[in-house]
Amino acid sequence: MAGKPKLYYFNGRGKMESVRWLLAAAGVEFEEEFLETQEQYEKLLQGGSLLFQQVPMVEIDGMKMVQTRAILSYIAAKYNLYGKDLKERALIDMYVGGTDDLMGFIMMFPFLSAEDKEKQRATIVQKATSRYFPAYEKILKDHGQNFLVGGSFSWADVHLLEAILMVEEKKSDVLSGFPQLQAFKARISSIPTIKKFLEPGSQRKPLPDDKYVETVRRVLRMYYDVKAN
């Protein structure tokens, strides 16, 4: 029997958070090793665990997987969250890609100066409400189904809910003009595995704080343009 997946990353969101979300959505228990020192990171590098010298890294099914999209695709396929055919898989990829673009505006937010954070906050809300949320609102309205693709719960739904909650942390009423997305948020949040992940005490990580930012910079030995990919 295979052991639990093991996640190697910082004790914070970053790019690993979507992996946590997807494993939790699938009802899969996982372990984590948090990177807190340069020595830990260098040990992974010297041991050949980081193919492209980057985290996230996930040990799963005898593999040491890197590259966030590859990790997520594997988990989605393994746990039947990747559609029933090639067409559905293409739609899921397309929607996840759009959501990734939106998340990209949020990912580096903790590393910005106070002045730049205010500018980025406005950009995040503007992009969400003028480009991404209208697209998903239309998708849900046009097909009238409970989920984004094929009438069944998929990676695309998990990813979109994660993004919605991230944007709401920047503007709490951001969904006020999107009734379909409001209903979608309530619906997906009530799925038992998601509901459990959203409860206190889960492995979901809080908003990144100064300690997280300092740890990432120290471990990666970077002080500008930090990016865990």
Side-chain angles (χ1 to χ4, degrees):
M1 183 177 176
K4 297 176 184 178
K6 187 170 183 179
L7 283 50
Y8 294 79
Y9 201 67
F10 306 98
N11 188 11
R13 291 183 183 175
K15 293 205 169 186
M16 187 65 91
E17 189 70 355
S18 292
V19 178
R20 299 183 185 108
W21 267 87
L22 196 56
L23 286 168
V28 178
E29 295 182 356
F30 57 88
E31 300 174 349
E32 299 189 79
E33 180 171 317
F34 299 127
L35 301 182
E36 298 176 343
T37 66
Q38 290 182 13
E39 288 73 22
Q40 283 178 288
Y41 188 66
E42 288 168 359
K43 183 177 179 181
L44 290 174
L45 288 172
Q46 293 168 5
S49 296
L50 305 180
L51 183 62
F52 301 112
Q53 302 177 24
Q54 297 170 314
V55 288
M57 189 271 281
V58 175
E59 289 183 343
I60 184 170
D61 294 342
M63 298 183 290
K64 294 183 177 181
M65 294 195 70
V66 295
Q67 293 298 312
T68 311
R69 187 60 180 262
I71 295 166
L72 290 167
S73 296
Y74 182 81
I75 293 168
K78 178 178 174 69
Y79 296 107
N80 300 314
L81 294 169
Y82 214 169
K84 68 178 184 296
D85 56 32
L86 190 59
K87 182 177 180 180
E88 287 191 2
R89 189 170 183 169
L91 289 173
I92 290 168
D93 282 337
M94 185 167 66
Y95 298 160
V96 166
T99 305
D100 267 342
D101 290 346
L102 174 57
M103 287 180 170
F105 292 103
I106 305 172
M107 197 70 63
M108 292 304 297
F109 188 86
F111 298 91
L112 300 176
S113 67
E115 180 181 354
D116 287 341
K117 280 182 179 178
E118 288 310 304
K119 295 177 182 177
Q120 189 68 355
R121 186 188 308 274
T123 297
I124 290 164
V125 173
Q126 189 273 328
K127 294 292 186 183
T129 57
S130 66
R131 179 181 299 180
Y132 299 101
F133 288 174
Y136 294 120
E137 182 82 2
K138 184 176 187 302
I139 290 165
L140 291 166
K141 184 176 181 180
D142 285 353
H143 66 39
Q145 297 176 337
N146 288 336
F147 306 103
L148 285 173
V149 178
S152 61
F153 184 48
S154 77
W155 173 22
D157 301 306
V158 180
H159 216 51
L160 179 56
L161 178 61
E162 181 188 358
I164 287 171
L165 296 181
M166 290 169 74
V167 179
E168 285 187 329
E169 289 171 337
K170 303 295 179 267
K171 189 174 189 295
S172 60
D173 64 347
V174 72
L175 289 186
S176 60
F178 302 97
Q180 294 290 333
L181 287 178
Q182 291 176 39
F184 172 87
K185 174 191 169 186
R187 198 161 52 239
I188 304 304
S189 296
S190 69
I191 291 172
T193 55
I194 298 293
K195 184 177 181 180
K196 182 179 179 182
F197 189 62
L198 292 174
E199 291 174 350
S202 79
Q203 288 169 287
R204 184 185 180 211
K205 300 300 181 274
L207 276 168
D209 57 14
D210 290 342
K211 181 180 178 181
Y212 168 78
V213 171
E214 191 277 331
T215 300
V216 172
R217 286 178 166 160
R218 184 182 68 250
V219 172
L220 297 183
R221 296 177 295 181
M222 296 180 182
Y223 296 91
Y224 304 98
D225 300 324
V226 177
K227 185 176 183 182
N229 188 7

